[in-house]
């Protein structure tokens, strides 16, 4: 039986692995369906402390993994599909057929951005012009034209943020009214850099001869007519889905799927002793790599205290 198992190998899980390993707990990290997490789709990370010239997402998580392994963390390429957490020994049932057991569990399974599914999106995602994080990638489009797809607070926030860099921002929403808060709608409506493209849905994301985004084709839901927006960046902001479906019935989940943490000083404990959460699977507000890493460290420290009690 393991002392600590960490589910997820993104910034939260790897940070937890570093701290747990340094505490001599020899943690086992079960990597999940997307080893390295969502940040591996980011071509360059400029806002993670310690890298003044930036670092690509894959290199960042590989560095963190090497650091965790240096202190004794171990890695298993598998996906947990079901858990039993009510007993003192936690049981994890993986897709490989293996059953893992542990005394303490850190859930750091992250969240997956919702995508539009339109033609060209998959090919342009991750360094070719399509992004799900304006904070991560906005600065790469300085002086250029971009589009944001979405109609909630996140989409309005991303559109406003992108005006710091982009010369022009199209905000594309399928309805004629936004779901965002009134103050957010006012900001985007009054910003001269933002053009609202309402009652329109994305039809196709077009690439140039180098395989990078050159336009977003949108279709009017009222007339059916299409229009090509000449953009070099396309930001999809239609929400995130926490990777927590496998926990239903085993851990309390919020309506949006995020894991409910106790409202205490740690911010990472759940109602089940010995079970902790870290990163985007429990974060509905920030979803930033450095914050995920911080919660991973917290979770590991809490797990250490639990095991030493």
């Amino acid at each position: 039986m393991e002392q600590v198992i960490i589910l997820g190998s993104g910034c939260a899980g790897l940070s937890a692995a570093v701290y747990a390993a340094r505490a001599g707990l020899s943690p086992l990290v079960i990597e999940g369906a997307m080893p390295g997490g969502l940040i591996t789709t980011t071509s360059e990370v400029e806002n993670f402390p310690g890298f003044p010239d930036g670092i690509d997402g894959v290199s960042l998580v590989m560095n963190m993994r090497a650091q965790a392994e240096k202190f004794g963390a171990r890695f298993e390429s598998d996906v947990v599909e079901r858990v039993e957490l009510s007993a003192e020994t936690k049981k994890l049932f993986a897709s490989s057929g293996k059953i893992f057991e542990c005394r303490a569990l850190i859930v750091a399974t992250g969240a997956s951005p919702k995508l539009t599914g339109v033609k060209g999106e998959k090919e342009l995602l991750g360094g070719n012009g399509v992004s799900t994080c304006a904070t991560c990638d906005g600065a790469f489009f300085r002086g250029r034209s971009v589009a944001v797809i979405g109609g909630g607070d996140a989409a309005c926030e991303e559109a406003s943020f992108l005006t710091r860099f982009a010369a022009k921002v199209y905000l594309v929403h399928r309805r004629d009214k936004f779901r965002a808060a009134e103050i957010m709608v006012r900001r985007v409506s009054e910003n001269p850099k933002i053009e609202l493209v309402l009652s329109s849905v994305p039809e196709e994301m077009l690439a140039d001869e180098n395989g990078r985004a050159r336009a977003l084709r949108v279709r009017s839901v009222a007339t059916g007519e299409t229009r090509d927006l000449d953009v070099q960046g396309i930001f999809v902001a239609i929400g995130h889905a926490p990777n927590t479906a496998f926990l239903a019935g085993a851990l309390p989940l919020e309506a949006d799927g995020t894991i409910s943490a106790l409202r205490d000083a740690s911010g990472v404990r759940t109602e089940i002793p010995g079970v902790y959460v870290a990163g985007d699977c429990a974060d509905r507000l920030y979803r930033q790599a450095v914050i995920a890493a911080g919660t991973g460290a917290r979770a590991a420290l809490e797990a250490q205290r639990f095991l030493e009690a």
Side-chain angles (χ1 to χ4, degrees):
M1 182 174 66
E2 303 290 341
Q3 289 281 82
V4 182
I5 289 180
I6 300 166
L7 298 185
S9 53
C11 288
L14 292 174
S15 179
V18 169
Y19 273 76
R22 289 187 74 248
L25 298 176
S26 186
L28 176 65
V29 180
I30 301 179
E31 293 182 291
M34 189 177 188
L38 193 59
I39 200 168
T40 59
T41 66
T42 302
S43 57
E44 189 167 1
V45 181
E46 292 188 316
N47 55 0
F48 199 96
F51 300 95
D53 297 321
I55 184 172
D56 68 89
V58 172
S59 295
L60 176 62
V61 296
M62 291 304 294
N63 286 349
M64 294 178 74
R65 175 176 174 140
Q67 189 174 7
E69 288 179 317
K70 172 185 175 182
F71 295 116
R74 294 163 296 125
F75 289 79
E76 183 91 19
S77 179
D78 214 334
V79 177
V80 171
E81 296 182 332
R82 183 170 65 88
V83 299
E84 292 180 1
L85 305 178
S86 56
E88 184 176 345
T89 297
K90 319 305 177 191
K91 292 186 177 182
L92 316 176
F93 301 83
S95 59
S96 65
K98 292 182 179 179
I99 300 175
F100 299 93
E101 296 183 343
C102 60
R103 293 180 59 200
L105 175 67
I106 297 173
V107 182
T109 49
S112 299
K114 297 176 182 178
L115 299 174
T116 66
V118 302
K119 183 179 179 181
E121 180 179 53
K122 183 179 179 180
E123 292 77 10
L124 295 174
L125 186 65
N128 290 315
V130 174
S131 172
T132 57
C133 179
T135 307
C136 306
D137 299 325
F140 300 119
F141 298 92
R142 194 179 302 274
R144 313 194 82 179
S145 295
V146 301
V148 176
I149 301 171
D153 285 348
C156 289
E157 287 175 2
E158 296 226 331
S160 296
F161 176 81
L162 286 165
T163 60
R164 303 181 187 184
F165 311 102
K168 174 86 172 182
V169 179
Y170 296 96
L171 181 53
V172 180
H173 183 40
R174 60 182 176 175
R175 298 189 176 94
D176 60 354
K177 293 182 180 179
F178 288 99
R179 294 179 289 105
E182 184 178 345
I183 187 171
M184 298 300 302
V185 176
R186 189 182 311 123
R187 285 175 184 168
V188 296
S189 300
E190 295 175 353
N191 193 313
K193 282 190 171 185
I194 298 176
E195 179 179 330
L196 305 183
V197 184
L198 302 180
S199 299
S200 298
V201 293
E203 185 90 343
E204 184 177 356
M205 300 179 185
L206 306 174
D208 61 18
E209 63 276 8
N210 296 315
R212 297 187 59 83
R214 67 170 179 83
L216 172 64
R217 180 166 295 162
V218 298
R219 174 175 53 83
S220 168
V221 297
T223 66
E225 295 180 354
T226 60
R227 169 190 176 192
D228 287 357
L229 307 177
D230 294 327
V231 295
Q232 294 76 52
I234 303 169
F235 292 83
V236 182
I238 56 177
H240 285 71
N243 301 320
T244 58
F246 72 103
L247 296 169
L251 273 179
L253 303 179
E254 303 290 347
D256 63 356
T258 53
I259 302 170
S260 300
L262 295 180
R263 299 184 183 279
D264 62 7
S266 77
V268 297
R269 293 196 300 125
T270 71
E271 66 176 30
I272 299 178
V275 179
Y276 307 92
V277 295
D280 290 3
C281 63
D283 180 3
R284 63 175 63 177
L285 183 59
Y286 299 108
R287 296 194 178 97
Q288 296 296 305
V290 67
I291 294 173
T295 59
R298 284 187 176 197
L301 291 170
E302 288 295 321
Q304 180 186 356
R305 293 189 179 103
F306 170 78
L307 293 169
E308 292 175 348

